[in-house]
Amino acid sequence: MTGFDTRAIHAGQDPDPATGDVVVPLHLATTFKQDGVGGLRDGYEYARSGNPTRTALQELLASLEEGVAGLAFASGLAAEDTLLRTVCEPGSHVVLGGDAYGGTFRLISRVLSRWGVEHTPVDLTDPDALRAAIRPGSTRVVWCETPTNPLLTVVDIALTAEVAHETGALLAVDNTFASPYLQRPLTLGADVVVHSTTKYLGGHSDVVGGALVVRDAGLAEQLAYHQNAMGAVSGPLSDWLVVRGIKTLGVRMDRHGANAARIAEYLAAHPAVSRVLYPGLPDHPGHDVAAEQMSGFGGMLSFRLAAGEEAALRVCERARLFTLAESLGGVESLIEHPHRMTHASAAGSPLEVPADLVRLSVGIEDADDLLADLEQALA
């Protein structure tokens, strides 16, 4: 197998046989001419069922995550919904990490619950708690993020997969924060990898998309059927933008991680900050696991303000280079208040996040400029 950066630039992206294009063409057609009834060219008939630009992205994703197949969707939540409705049915049960993305919690607790799917939040760093939460025969999925959003909890993927598989449950890992450059869950025992391609894979805050990558051909076939039947597929322009973004994923992640490490060290020594949540810090509870299963610690970090929620809000409002906005993973640095923004839907639930928490998506700007911005915001 070739190296990661080589695959990021070449996998699924052979030069176009007709023109020699070295960039994947943007195929906007919604339908494709058939050579006689049922005589499809390369399997394409209708763009919901398949599109050559989407095929390129899906092959690229499968290569990067070292899976047998990748599938691209209109958003990360569309990918999650398709996965859950493929493997669950009324009466099924999902174990959800106790520190999960608010949109995932909303989908499972408020949408799928009306369809008869139950869920149990649990601390996935505790394998005994996970075993206790699993309901043999009805738990279909253990849903894991690592590192988590927004508390940066690190979960041991190999151990979690072992526990899930004891009773036949699938392990799905949301790999959005790490990206396949830093972590490949399928190689550690996970069954499905989930991505919001909006984030690091796209990398430029100009596309919304999602993806699933699997290691079992049978599950891939089921998911592909539901991808077509349910229809929440990605569009060709989105596919093209994600392919373009992935070409520079490796070099971007190196800069994201280097900048985040400097900022984490700065915040850890700041008197206004009570705690920094970043797996790269030696005192982080998941540091050793992260060092074992990741090749770097990423560009996401959160911190808590000693003076409480109002101080956290002031930092968000005073930042200038760190743009106050939701989402993450773009080249520009972002700051947000999870309790009132991305995780507001988890308020009052076991997944509620602290009100004094600030989350940073550290971009690729000059680190000295980012540190100066935080210094004036914290003053």
Side-chain angles (χ1 to χ4, degrees), residues 337-351:
H337 187 256
H339 183 74
R340 297 198 184 191
M341 294 172 67
T342 53
H343 290 68
S345 63
S349 79
L351 278 72

Side-chain angles (χ1 to χ4, degrees), residues 42-55:
D42 293 327
Y44 297 109
E45 55 181 327
Y46 182 60
R48 171 173 43 77
S49 304
N51 174 285
T53 311
R54 188 162 80 239
T55 297

Side-chain angles (χ1 to χ4, degrees), residues 31-68:
T31 191
F32 301 86
K33 183 181 185 301
Q34 299 187 18
D35 298 323
V37 176
L40 308 183
R41 299 186 188 182
D42 293 327
Y44 297 109
E45 55 181 327
Y46 182 60
R48 171 173 43 77
S49 304
N51 174 285
T53 311
R54 188 162 80 239
T55 297
L57 173 58
Q58 293 182 154
E59 291 180 359
L60 174 57
L61 292 167
S63 176
L64 296 184
E65 286 286 5
E66 301 184 37
V68 300

Side-chain angles (χ1 to χ4, degrees), residues 276-296:
V276 179
L277 307 175
Y278 183 63
L281 293 175
D283 63 352
H284 186 284
H287 174 77
D288 291 343
V289 173
E292 178 70 23
Q293 67 187 20
M294 301 173 69
S295 59

